[in-house]
Each structure stands twice: as C-alpha cells, then as structure tokens.
Amino acid sequence: MSINQLSAMGVLTFKAGVSIRSKDVARCLPRLLPVGGARSEKPITNHPVAKLFKRPNVIQTWFEFALQMHTSFLLRGNAYAVILRNMRGDPIALIPVNPDAVLLLEAPDGSIFYNVARYGLFQMAMLQGLPLTIPSDDIFHLRDVTFNMLTGLSTIGIARDSIGVAMGLTQQQARFMANGARPSGVLQTPKTLSVDAANRLRDQWNTLRSGLQNIGKTAILEEGLEWKPMQLNSVDLQFIDQLKFSVEEMARAVGVPLHKLGVAGESSRIKLDDADQSYVNTTIMPDLDMWEQKFVQKFDLDDEDLTADFDERRLLRAAESTRVNTYRTQVISGLKTQNECRALEGDPPLPGGDVLLTPANSAANGSDVTGTPADGAGRPDEGTSPDPGF
C-alpha cells in the first residue's frame, strides 16, 4: 500500500486534522513590529517583509499561502518557498513549492543548495530567472524535528503504518457496505456440483445480493440449494472499536485534540475554553514561534531591531458573555480603557473612552507615616504644624 501526500489526505481524519491545524495557523495574521514594542503599537507597513505579509505572491492571499505551506510542513516535515528578489535584493514574492519536488544538496564547503523541479507553466514562469539549483539564501524553509539539521522528519513517513491501518479499515468498511452491510455466507446443497455449476451459482448469487441497490430483492434457489449466512464473530464486532482507535492515532499524528475533530462525546467531557487554551499553548504557539523566528532569521530582521509577530488572539475568542465580563473587569480595574475593549470587538471609539479609570478603593501609596496619601492627609512636613481643620 503506497503512502504519499495524496493517499494520506484520503484518510478523512488525517485530512481533517491537517486542515484544522493549518487553517488555525493561517488565521494568525502576521505583523512587523519593533523589538520590544507592544502589540497595541501600529505595525510597520513600509518594509519589504511587511508587504509579503499582505500579498506573498501574485496568486495567493496570506491565508492561502500559509495554509499551503503549513499543510506541506505537517505532511512532509518540510515546507519550501522560493524567495524572489528585486534588483536591490529586497524580497518581493514567496513562491511555495511541493516538498516532493525539492532535493537538498550539500557542497564541500558547507553551502546548502536546493534542487527545485518546476511543475506547471505558472511555476516555470515565476522561477525562470533562477537556476535549477537555488542557493539557500533564496529559499524559505520550515523544518520539523530533524536529525541532521537540514531536513525535517516526514510525518507521513514515520506514521505510514498508522495511516496504512486507517486506509485498510476504510477499505474494509467499504467492502462490507458493498456486500449489503451483511456478513457473507455459503450456499449448501446435498447434491454434488461441478466446478462450472458452482462458479455460475456463486456469480449469480453475488449479482443478485451484493450491493446496497440489491437489498430486499427475492432470491430463487434451485436444485435444493439452501443459504447459510455466517454470523459476525468477536473480531468483526470490534471493528467500530478499531475505527475509534484509528481516529485517535490520526489525531496524535497531527497533534490535534479529539474534540476539534468532532469525535462524538468528547465535547461533553471537557471544558471547551480550557481545552482550546491548551491546544493553542501546546500546538499552535510552537508553530507560530517557528514561523516568527524563521522570518527573523531569513530576512535579518534582528539587524534592524524588528521582529515578526503572529497574532494568536483570534483563536482564543471566548463566548460573548465571557468577553463582556472580562472587558468589564479590565476597565474597572484600570487595566484597559473602554475604547481599547471596543476596538477588540470592532466597535468605533467613544468620546472620552481613552481614559484609564482608577478603582475607587485604590489610592496612591502613602500613609500617616510617609505623608503622601492621595487626599493630602497624614503626618505634616517636618517643621510645620498640622492644619487644625477650621
């Protein structure tokens, strides 16, 4: 059984997990910020890398580009994009290529090159100005766990047995349904049948009874034939359990929790907000860290005191009632202004809504010892008499 990108994505659970995780990463929109800058600052937009965040190439949006790249990363452990540059050397486009079309080459001096096969007229046109073997400076390469520092381990390679089992179970299920969702059986007769007669009777029976379209049809048996159906054994009855285990294996392979895959009963056993928070912390954030650090490394952003920031907050958007209560607590606690909370909901600012409120039960540090309370009370300055108050 051949396991490749196409056949692996034919396993619906595996495809669902890869799609969910890749789409979640693609939803985290990237921005270019100064090192140490707050997320509330206005992002830099006049930088070549910032323009790639808006339009990575002439065909794809950022979401489509990130979706393709991260899907390749999850399948093959490697994702490649060719960097197109202008005459000044600034990046102007990222052209993703299939990992199966890339061969990494090492030179004796330690230089790294990528042999990129061109598939399709568009890719040939976009890469026509580049040699067949492209230097590593012009390749954006995301890699998974690696043992040689150069290429990541292929997920469908190390999980090929689990994927193969899932494919086998799916084919077994299809054959079972093609047999009318019933176990097979035997035709018995006290007479002796020739080989030709036995083959003819078997073919006629299969034609009449196999397939969902033949359910309910009446069979007429001849020559004393009698149908003896075979009963489901304990192994057959465990088929659903095998399917459930296969779903769990596929979820582990792509790092997606079961409730994200719509597994029945999972949502009722967990607290969704906490489960989603855990999923973002343990699965999505490492992916985003990888993307951010690769952009900084590949385009030398740290030399300009810049960093890439992928905003994951959209993945943690709670229910409306929860958000309102959170905003209320933040505003009355003096952590956020009203307009900052309104901006998170996409609402326009209100006049006077930029004032950071101070809780009524809070005051400046001070006491009758320090002499610096907010209302001017406390011990008088040295050499002065206290105000009698009248």
Side-chain angles (χ1 to χ4, degrees):
M1 184 179 296
S2 175
I3 306 297
N4 51 43
Q5 295 184 78
L6 184 60
S7 62
M9 292 294 274
V11 179
L12 294 184
T13 304
F14 189 80
K15 177 185 182 300
V18 169
S19 298
I20 289 170
R21 183 169 164 184
S22 298
K23 288 177 181 178
D24 284 341
V25 169
R27 289 177 60 198
C28 300
L29 298 180
R31 301 176 299 172
L32 199 61
L33 296 175
V35 172
R39 279 185 162 181
S40 58
E41 293 185 16
K42 185 177 180 180
I44 298 170
T45 58
N46 59 352
H47 192 279
V49 174
K51 295 177 181 178
L52 293 178
F53 290 159
K54 294 295 183 182
R55 180 172 293 183
N57 53 64
V58 297
I59 296 294
Q60 294 176 307
T61 63
W62 173 260
F63 185 95
E64 293 169 335
F65 170 78
L67 179 62
Q68 179 179 347
M69 288 285 288
H70 214 72
T71 297
S72 297
F73 170 78
L74 294 178
L75 290 174
R76 282 299 190 188
N78 298 277
Y80 305 95
V82 179
I83 304 172
L84 303 184
R85 302 181 185 272
N86 58 20
M87 298 298 293
R88 296 188 299 272
D90 296 331
I92 57 175
L94 294 170
I95 307 298
V97 293
N98 191 326
D100 290 345
V102 179
L103 176 65
L104 189 143
L105 304 174
E106 305 174 60
D109 62 355
S111 300
I112 303 299
F113 297 88
Y114 294 83
N115 190 312
V116 180
R118 278 69 164 172
Y119 292 115
L121 296 178
F122 172 78
Q123 197 171 88
M124 294 173 63
M126 290 293 100
L127 306 182
Q128 62 181 349
L130 296 173
L132 181 62
T133 302
I134 302 175
S136 60
D137 288 343
D138 292 326
I139 296 291
F140 185 88
H141 181 188
L142 298 174
R143 57 177 66 87
D144 202 356
V145 177
T146 176
F147 293 144
N148 62 0
M149 299 171 55
L150 302 178
T151 55
L153 293 177
S154 171
T155 301
I156 62 176
I158 60 179
R160 60 182 178 273
D161 290 337
S162 296
I163 296 173
V165 169
M167 293 172 61
L169 289 173
T170 301
Q171 293 173 6
Q172 181 180 349
Q173 185 180 24
R175 292 192 183 99
F176 185 65
M177 295 303 294
N179 196 37
R182 295 187 301 270
S184 58
V186 294
L187 289 170
Q188 293 182 343
T189 179
K191 298 182 179 180
T192 301
L193 297 176
S194 65
V195 174
D196 292 339
N199 290 336
R200 177 179 59 82
L201 287 172
R202 181 190 60 201
D203 293 341
Q204 290 177 349
W205 180 265
N206 288 336
T207 301
L208 177 67
R209 301 292 290 175
S210 295
L212 298 179
Q213 71 277 8
N214 290 325
I215 290 179
K217 288 188 176 180
T218 302
I220 300 177
L221 303 179
E222 57 181 308
E223 300 295 334
L225 286 172
E226 184 179 0
W227 169 251
K228 295 290 186 182
M230 298 173 62
Q231 300 298 319
L232 289 171
N233 56 38
S234 59
V235 176
D236 296 324
L237 294 175
Q238 292 176 354
F239 181 75
I240 293 180
D241 290 335
Q242 295 173 0
L243 286 175
K244 291 180 179 179
F245 180 77
S246 176
V247 169
E248 295 174 0
E249 280 285 273
M250 295 299 97
R252 278 188 284 267
V254 296
V256 175
L258 292 175
H259 77 276
K260 286 283 186 180
L261 297 173
V263 175
E266 285 298 314
S267 298
S268 61
R269 298 193 305 105
I270 60 177
K271 187 177 180 182
L272 285 178
D273 288 346
D274 292 342
D276 287 342
Q277 179 71 63
S278 176
Y279 163 69
V280 171
N281 290 344
T282 60
T283 302
I284 299 300
M285 290 306 298
D287 290 346
L288 300 184
D289 289 342
M290 174 188 64
W291 276 88
E292 292 170 352
Q293 294 176 21
K294 182 57 66 174
F295 268 102
V296 171
Q297 177 200 47
K298 180 57 63 176
F299 299 108
D300 297 321
L301 296 180
D302 49 346
D303 292 342
E304 305 176 65
D305 289 329
L306 299 176
T307 187
D309 178 74
F310 284 62
D311 193 352
E312 81 287 352
R313 288 173 293 183
R314 296 180 65 191
L315 303 181
L316 299 173
R317 190 174 179 84
E320 184 174 8
S321 59
T322 303
R323 298 198 309 271
V324 170
N325 289 329
T326 301
Y327 297 151
R328 177 179 178 276
T329 302
Q330 291 174 334
V331 169
I332 65 177
S333 300
L335 300 176
K336 286 184 180 295
T337 66
Q338 296 178 45
N339 282 342
E340 287 175 335
C341 294
R342 291 178 62 84
L344 293 175
E345 291 294 308
D347 296 328
L350 292 176
D354 294 319
V355 178
L356 196 62
L357 302 181
T358 301
N361 60 348
S362 300
N365 290 333
S367 65
D368 56 351
V369 176
T370 64
T372 58
D375 58 0
R379 189 178 67 179
D381 296 335
E382 185 176 355
T384 62
S385 301
D387 188 353
F390 54 86

